[in-house]
Amino acid sequence: MPKITSVIGLGYLGVTQAAVLASLGHRVLGIDPDQTKIDSLNAGKVPFFEPELQELLESGIRSGLLTFDTAISESAKEVDVHFICVGTPSKSDGSEVDTSFLHKALEQLAPFLKQNSTIVGRSTVPVGTAATLENYLFSITDTKFDLVWNPEFLSEGTAVRDSLKPERIVIGTNSQKGESALRDIYKKIIDKNVPVFTIDRQTSELVKVASNAFLALKISYINGVAEIAEKTGASTAKLADAMGLDTRIGRKFLNNGLGFGGGCLPKDLAGFASVAKATGAKHFGELLDSVNSINSDRRQHVHSLAVELLGNVAGKKITVLGAAFKPNTDDIRLSPGLLLAEELRREGAFVTIHDPIALPKVSEMYPKLIQGETIESAAADADLLIVATEWSDYKELDATKLRAIVKRPALIDARNILPSVEWRRLGWNIKQLGEGS
Ligand code: UGA
């Protein structure tokens, strides 16, 4: 049966959640304090790039099921299920997670809470957060509610698909009522044979961070192997293919390169390491710290390769292809390519950055980087090209055409997407990470 819902916090997760709930037939009130964002959403425009989301938003608005506002108000009194999707960024020291936006959301919601409604936390949080939030809400309202945790596992670039056909739905609760509220909401998805895993809240909180930290570990593992492969003449890509055929290991997340970035893996890894240490899992905390260090080493390694190719980077023109932290998104948070570009710029290189869609975001955060609107204009007269993100446009780079416009035919393929033998034949000095030859 269709429900009345709210989604509080409209970032990548919240907007997707709101549009998906409307597509399932529920009424959705989306809340976020950012007026510009709300204006954009009410005008039917997704304020960031996410494949398939624009169409879903437009149809939600057309159907009248989806509306957006800057604050929780009287209309929230009709809501049966509230989804909390606010950000949980790292604190300024980078290790612990800041859960203050969750407290703030509940504080604002409390006066408008409907009797026996369900609150569903979707944000990624340290273990124990749901219990703390529940106690907090008990202290500020007499209204009866259930607080359920329902971690999200969607990846940017495939968020809509991941939401409509997830590999699993995790429901963290020991309340039968809370569980059935969520099962009702997701019925159309669950009916597509999606496994539902109902567990206690602590476990549900941990599933999410443990999964993200494991993905980070897998990437750093292959990047560590890549260091050895490079020194010994081996090929990491071929090795990963062979390893990945073992179904216990699997090929996914074994692509070596410039390492992981974005708003999730680095933050969750650091938060989990801090929980590990706080709970006395000392060596595990150290393992997670090493995952992070191996990841930072990747940037350092590409930096060293640039120095090896150019002598000194100061005064050289370096073109970085790819600002987004991965393809099919315009998210540039902790993008390894951008961090590297900024380091090179600080050392005196003239760095031009190109990206198929993320350049407007680059202007806001990295105003000193030169932007190239096209690949050709970005690469003109370059002493060095660095492929930092594996956008499909870059897989099709034309070695002959580019050779005619650069100053020196030198390229670091930091995502291993180009046919290096062919490029070398066409006169390029090309380096690929983790490839010994
Ligand atoms: C990640 C998780 O994959 C999702 O399951 C999770 O729900 C999400 O975080 C979240 O917490 O919200 P996302 O940050 O969108 O999703 O991106 P990923 O696809 O995990 O990629 C993260 C980084 O790892 C990217 O920089 C990517 O380039 C890098 N990566 C990925 C590699 O370097 N090698 C690989 O083999 C795979």
Side-chain angles (χ1 to χ4, degrees), residues 219-329:
I219 299 167
S220 278
Y221 185 88
I222 201 67
N223 280 330
V225 172
E227 289 183 34
I228 299 171
E230 259 180 53
K231 297 262 160 57
T232 55
S235 159
T236 311
K238 289 183 186 143
L239 175 149
D241 287 343
M243 271 178 74
L245 286 171
D246 185 329
T247 51
R248 294 170 304 172
I249 297 173
R251 179 63 178 85
K252 289 181 183 165
F253 278 70
L254 282 184
N255 294 323
N256 74 293
L258 199 49
F260 57 83
C264 305
L265 260 48
K267 168 178 79 88
D268 294 347
L269 179 69
F272 200 35
S274 136
V275 168
K277 287 170 213 159
T279 50
K282 178 171 168 285
H283 294 301
F284 186 55
E286 286 164 4
L287 171 71
L288 298 177
D289 283 345
S290 296
V291 169
N292 182 39
S293 306
I294 293 171
N295 198 47
S296 312
D297 284 354
R298 292 293 79 201
R299 261 189 350 259
Q300 191 48 51
H301 181 54
V302 175
H303 185 278
S304 307
L305 286 177
V307 173
E308 199 181 302
L309 284 164
L310 298 175
N312 194 343
V313 298
K316 303 290 183 343
K317 182 178 172 192
I318 301 177
T319 301
V320 175
L321 297 173
F325 83 100
K326 66 173 192 179
N328 299 320
T329 178

Side-chain angles (χ1 to χ4, degrees), residues 313-316 343-350:
V313 298
K316 303 290 183 343
E343 274 160 26
L344 292 166
R345 187 198 65 76
R346 285 219 187 94
E347 284 170 33
F350 299 105

Side-chain angles (χ1 to χ4, degrees), residues 124 152-156 208 212 215 219 253-255 259-261 264-265 268 325-326 390 415:
T124 302
E152 55 90 10
F153 299 99
L154 38 109
S155 291
E156 288 173 30
K208 175 59 197 280
N212 271 4
L215 292 173
I219 299 167
F253 278 70
L254 282 184
N255 294 323
F260 57 83
C264 305
L265 260 48
D268 294 347
F325 83 100
K326 66 173 192 179
E390 63 276 35
R415 294 292 176 184

